[in-house]
Amino acid sequence: MPDLLEIRSLAKHFGGVVATDEVSLEVRAGEVHALIGPNGAGKTTLVAQISGSLAPDAGSIIFDGRDVTRLAQHQRVRAGLARSYQITSIFRRSSVIENLALAVQARSGSSLGFWQPVASESGLVDEARLIAAEIGLSDRADIAGGELAHGEQRALEMGLALATRPRLLLLDEPMAGMGPEESQRIIGLIERVRRSVSVVLVEHDMDAVFRLADRISVLVNGRVIATGVPDEIRANEEVRRAYLGDEALSA
Amino acid sequence: MNARAAALIAALAAAVAFPLAMQAADQLFFVGFASRVLIWAIAASSLNLVLGYGGMISFGHAAFVGTGAYVSGILIAGGVTSAWIGWPAAILASAVLALAIGAASLRTRGAYFIMITLAFAQMMYYLMNSMKAYGGDEGLSLTSRAALGFGLDLGNEVTFYYVVLAALCALLYATHRLAHARFGRVIAAIRENETRAEAIGFPVYRYKLICFVIAGAAGGLAGALLASHGKYVSPSLLHWTQSGTLMIMVILGGVGRLWGGALGAVLLLALEHLIAEHPIPWLLAIAPNYPQHANLGVGIVMLVIVLYAPQGLAGLVSRKRHA
Amino acid sequence: MSDMLLEVAGIETAYGQSQVLHGLDLEIRAGETVTLLGRNGMGKTTAIRSIMGLTPARQGAISFRGSRIEAEAPDRIARRGIALVPEGRQIFPNLSVREHLVAFAENRSGAKEPWTPQRVFALFPRLRERAEHMGNQLSGGEQQMLAIGRALVTNPYLLVLDEATEGLAPLIREEIWKCLAALRAAGQTILVVDKYIERLVQLADRHTIIERGRVAWQGGSEELSSNRELWHRYLGV
């Protein structure tokens, strides 16, 4: 499989603190690539640099053969690189459909329309309804984002990223704050979208990681200490010491 | 017909009938006063575009109003009296200024944005003060209002009133369309969650800048109308207290509400007028100078509104309707 | 009963129009470790918010050490000796680790060997290393330790933890469980909300399952671990 995303010697410092230390990794087209590591290992910082909200100090990010290191976040989204957030970041006062229609609008033509009501563009709403069905929120379509239950908000969080029709989806702890059933729902959703989209998955829920991931990279103190298929990671002594503890055995 | 449309038509009818009634009662002074109120309604509505719709707390909006006034005034003083040249020129100049100020200020956020817009506006204030060729701190008196042609004499208070009313209606209608169009949705999204708006692919900075420029341009139109209305422009139009007054109008009327700027301007100026011109005898007996301190009364009203109607007058009206 | 610490009787709590708790009962005796379980949205966090006075109950009674507290302000309730480790940690971004601990240090329960910042540093050596770092410079795990430490230095009669292992790496999660077990062994009364039931049945004495704002089941750890039907029906496991 060809590499969809290639990160070369990425580095980022905050003052004297090294957040990303010469990180190199490849995400192949079609794979779910999990990124695990202790709290403070630099996972979210890495996601921010890949998505473009944070500029690296050095190194490069190649997406689909194109160097996107200098591109702004919105340009990367248009190139097919979308992210979701660990802390739910939705439009809380807008309905589910309005949330999704806005994301559809972002990738369909110019938004410098000052006169025609957006409500008359049935294409946006139709597409939004499709995505609402995809994430299982069809029957909640007209509820404001802020009034959804936590699990539903997390689904919408992912839906907003999906609505940009990405080729690579960066998911930052999609299972955060979820009960077992809600986690199952998100796992099911990821299993469906992975057929058409490659995924970088940051997650602490090891059941989900070992079930979903084709390959796993382990980030410790801003460095990748191991990359491999789940069995290799499970068996890796260094990974167990730094992160997994005994959990890998029971998983 | 729903209540909203009925209220709209009633308000419009009252606004159209007002100067005719005043003319019949030989009270033309009030027509001139009403024109001034409507011009400030335009200015406040233009600030509401950036402050309310765009969520950008710009504390320098007087710079755009003042620039529009000066450009229009200087053209009239130089003999170019046609409104068809002067007003578009004022709008264009304010838009260009907003582009420059916005491009620099929108890189910052929070208190920094407030301070930098204030600083730019004060720079414009001192620039106008120093322009001796155009009156410096004394301001610039004009011999006539702008000329509109088509047999319409803007020197006539009633005609002028109708032109200003038309401009306000056009601005509010355009704002209404804009708010519900693609651009308005993006602006609302940015106001609510800027990070996410960028993350779904909107170039946030560019959209905010465009919103800022549109608001500045509309402020320029208000300035051009002000210059003709009083046949006088002065640097005080650009002073930071003017920016503050515009903000107070928007807050009183309703931040981010279509009618917010207009209602706030009407309330504030009517209140100032009432306090200054119609003293209450018993209050006068205790505090003889109080009519000169109209701001005290304005402050009390502002306090009441912020405490009991945080959505402003426009919010109060729509809440009543839903109740 | 004389050793009753907290008694929640029939509380009803709502956010605006939407009622979350419909007559919830809960009792905690001194020295016990008790859990609140249930799916998301069933009212666990709301129950804690009502106990703490953050979202006061509209009906029902809450007694703490014999005094009625359901109408009291949150700061008053906290000073009575209930300490919350809140969901999302709520660390102050611009206070250092040491400042967090010093600012809240108070012996509210009159403990003979009170928790001090020094004892918290001994419990979590990671925090001592980071003593002068600001709250916003800490990792998620360090923030969680600090949130627990900040609650402990108030020397509460009752320690309340809401989703304290959320978003933590497996190893850090283990550290939190060990810390709670040690606190329990030292006699601390604890009320805990968490989703790792397997660990909770090892840690706690009694469990209360909430379903739609009411108690659906109450019982001991052995009963809960042997009754998988409960897990399936109420917890979605």
Side-chain angles (χ1 to χ4, degrees), chain A residues 79 102 163 192 196 226 231 244 251:
Chain A
L102 195 68
R192 280 199 304 282
S196 50
D231 283 340
L244 286 176

Side-chain angles (χ1 to χ4, degrees), chain A residues 39 177-178 181-182 243 247, chain C residues 39-40 166-167 169 173 195:
Chain A
N39 301 102
M178 294 203 144
E181 283 162 320
E182 293 164 326
Y243 179 65
E247 182 148 341
Chain C
R39 292 183 171 89
N40 274 341
E166 176 56 48
R173 220 151 57 205
K195 66 176 177 189

Side-chain angles (χ1 to χ4, degrees), chain C:
Chain C
M1 206 179 289
S2 63
D3 63 347
M4 188 66 74
L5 196 62
L6 181 79
E7 194 168 0
V8 175
I11 57 166
E12 298 183 13
T13 307
Y15 298 101
Q17 296 292 317
S18 84
Q19 187 168 347
V20 180
L21 299 183
H22 300 268
L24 182 80
D25 303 309
L26 180 70
E27 293 178 350
I28 305 176
R29 295 180 188 83
E32 273 189 321
T33 294
V34 174
T35 73
L36 272 182
L37 305 173
R39 292 183 171 89
N40 274 341
M42 290 300 159
K44 291 169 294 180
T45 292
T46 306
I48 286 177
R49 291 186 62 86
S50 289
I51 293 169
M52 300 304 302
L54 295 165
T55 306
R58 292 183 180 175
Q59 295 287 330
I62 305 175
S63 305
F64 181 67
R65 301 184 68 237
S67 309
R68 296 282 290 266
I69 61 166
E70 71 269 7
E72 286 187 353
D75 62 310
R76 178 90 189 96
I77 294 172
R79 269 178 287 146
R80 281 183 179 276
I82 308 183
L84 173 66
V85 179
E87 194 175 11
R89 301 149 199 157
Q90 313 292 340
I91 292 302
F92 299 102
N94 298 316
L95 287 188
S96 72
V97 168
R98 190 187 304 282
E99 285 163 348
H100 271 89
L101 297 178
V102 171
F104 289 85
E106 189 182 346
N107 193 349
R108 287 178 180 160
S109 62
K112 284 194 217 70
E113 285 178 46
W115 282 97
T116 60
Q118 286 318 310
R119 271 188 74 195
V120 170
F121 286 144
L123 180 70
F124 296 120
R126 278 286 282 276
L127 290 184
R128 192 198 310 266
E129 292 165 29
R130 310 277 275 162
E132 308 311 329
H133 285 80
M134 294 296 140
N136 59 8
Q137 296 171 317
L138 303 178
S139 74
E142 290 161 349
Q143 287 190 10
Q144 192 61 61
M145 293 171 193
L146 180 56
I148 294 175
R150 178 179 60 184
L152 283 177
V153 292
T154 68
N155 290 281
Y157 290 102
L158 175 63
L159 179 66
V160 183
L161 300 110
D162 192 3
E163 302 279 7
T165 62
E166 176 56 48
L168 297 186
L171 271 180
I172 307 285
R173 220 151 57 205
E174 274 319 303
E175 218 168 309
I176 301 290
W177 292 126
K178 280 183 195 144
C179 154
L180 292 185
L183 289 173
R184 176 182 180 231
Q188 175 71 51
T189 315
I190 303 172
L191 172 64
V192 50
V193 169
D194 213 288
K195 66 176 177 189
Y196 290 95
I197 326 256
E198 299 90 342
R199 303 313 307 263
L200 292 177
V201 292
Q202 294 167 15
L203 176 78
D205 303 294
R206 290 192 303 114
H207 308 272
T208 298
I209 297 181
I210 307 186
E211 174 88 353
R212 296 182 196 285
R214 290 190 188 84
V215 174
W217 183 87
Q218 278 188 319
S221 283
E222 274 186 25
E223 272 175 275
L224 181 59
S225 32
S226 60
N227 190 345
R228 287 282 160 165
E229 168 63 19
L230 283 175
W231 294 41
H232 183 69
R233 176 148 34 124
Y234 295 119
L235 309 174
V237 182

Side-chain angles (χ1 to χ4, degrees), chain A residues 103-135:
Chain A
V104 175
Q105 181 186 323
R107 67 171 158 80
S108 52
S110 162
S111 278
L112 293 178
F114 299 95
W115 204 253
Q116 289 311 319
V118 77
S120 67
E121 293 188 54
S122 56
L124 296 182
V125 176
D126 291 347
E127 177 90 34
R129 290 201 185 282
L130 284 180
I131 297 154
E134 210 173 321
I135 57 177

Side-chain angles (χ1 to χ4, degrees), chain B residues 113 219 317:
Chain B
F113 179 75
V317 172

